Amino acid sequence: MEIQDSEENLAVLFFDPVSENTDKLLRDVYFELINEGDFIEKYSHIKDSLNIEHSHQSVGIQIADYISGTFSAMLRGITSNNYELGQKMFFEYVYPNLRRYNGKIMGAGIREVQSDSQFRNYLKTEFEKISKKYL
């Protein structure tokens, strides 16, 4: 969704090791797509080590861990005041970069799985309360 609108966008895909046979299959498919795929010329940011790096060595996974940690701290701060640093980090570094659709992040930048409109309304209200402290 994000990368289709601009040549400047970037998508990152990670594979964790599954088994020797599955890993080889994924590497072979990736190699074929990179070398034979007709779509590849449209993208200038393909990292040629996909499925080679393990997740604990991957900068992308480390960034995802950082984002999930700050978001977790933001959520825990709804019922506790012990997570202010995590909330501050979330609103300073993560929130400005969340994907938005029609100006809203709930449902675009932040998605929920299993949808629960009652919880969503509670979370949205609390989220907006906390955000006023930092934004």
Side-chain angles (χ1 to χ4, degrees):
M1 185 171 151
E2 287 296 312
I3 64 170
Q4 66 188 353
D5 296 332
S6 168
E7 293 176 13
E8 299 299 317
N9 287 326
L10 171 69
V12 181
L13 187 61
F14 297 97
F15 292 102
D16 274 334
V18 178
S19 71
E20 195 172 314
N21 290 338
T22 302
D23 294 348
K24 181 181 180 336
L25 175 66
L26 291 172
R27 286 186 184 99
D28 290 345
V29 167
Y30 169 73
F31 181 81
E32 186 176 328
L33 284 172
I34 289 296
N35 292 299
E36 307 295 330
D38 57 354
F39 73 95
I40 206 70
E41 63 198 33
K42 297 178 185 176
Y43 302 99
S44 61
H45 294 71
I46 300 295
K47 185 172 189 298
D48 195 25
S49 65
L50 189 66
N51 200 28
I52 305 301
E53 293 177 331
H54 295 290
S55 61
H56 68 277
Q57 299 169 324
S58 167
V59 171
I61 292 291
Q62 291 171 5
I63 290 170
D65 285 346
Y66 172 82
I67 291 169
S68 65
T70 60
F71 187 65
S72 174
M74 193 284 298
L75 290 174
R76 288 180 180 158
I78 288 174
T79 57
S80 168
N81 292 327
N82 296 331
Y83 295 92
E84 186 155 348
L85 178 59
Q87 291 174 348
K88 183 177 187 293
M89 291 168 64
F90 174 80
F91 283 107
E92 283 186 14
Y93 302 107
V94 176
Y95 181 80
N97 294 299
L98 288 175
R99 182 175 57 178
R100 287 163 172 74
Y101 181 74
N102 290 334
K104 297 178 181 177
I105 61 168
M106 296 296 267
I110 298 174
R111 295 195 176 245
E112 60 182 328
V113 177
Q114 184 84 13
S115 183
D116 180 343
S117 60
Q118 194 172 22
F119 181 69
R120 173 185 284 241
N121 289 333
Y122 167 74
L123 182 61
K124 184 177 178 184
T125 301
E126 295 299 319
F127 184 85
E128 288 169 351
K129 254 193 268 182
I130 293 171
S131 70
K132 288 178 184 172
K133 188 175 2 176
Y134 300 101
L135 300 176

